[in-house]
Amino acid sequence: LPRGGPRLRGAGERLAAQGAAVRAGLHCAPLAHRTAGTLETGTVRVSMSVFNTPQEVDRFTAMVRAAVR
């Protein structure tokens, strides 16, 4: 996915528009972002749990692959 800024937010918005539970930004976790090297860029975070089906995981994976093409 894009590294930060409007492109990162746009990627998060596109994934959300397709039904993915995602959030783009810093997620109120500056120490975690500093450790991961994403403090300046942020990330797109997906909300998954044990209740997601394998088909939902496959669908999200396909969405991400399409987003990075």
Side-chain angles (χ1 to χ4, degrees), residues 34-51:
R34 185 176 302 134
T35 300
T38 58
L39 186 59
E40 299 298 319
T41 61
T43 62
V44 175
R45 179 183 69 194
V46 62
S47 296
M48 291 228 170
S49 76
V50 298
F51 300 106

Side-chain angles (χ1 to χ4, degrees), residues 11-57:
E13 290 169 3
R14 285 190 302 280
L15 290 168
Q18 296 178 62
V22 297
R23 180 172 171 245
L26 291 179
H27 319 296
C28 301
L31 294 178
H33 283 284
R34 185 176 302 134
T35 300
T38 58
L39 186 59
E40 299 298 319
T41 61
T43 62
V44 175
R45 179 183 69 194
V46 62
S47 296
M48 291 228 170
S49 76
V50 298
F51 300 106
N52 287 97
T53 66
Q55 293 81 13
E56 290 169 326
V57 174

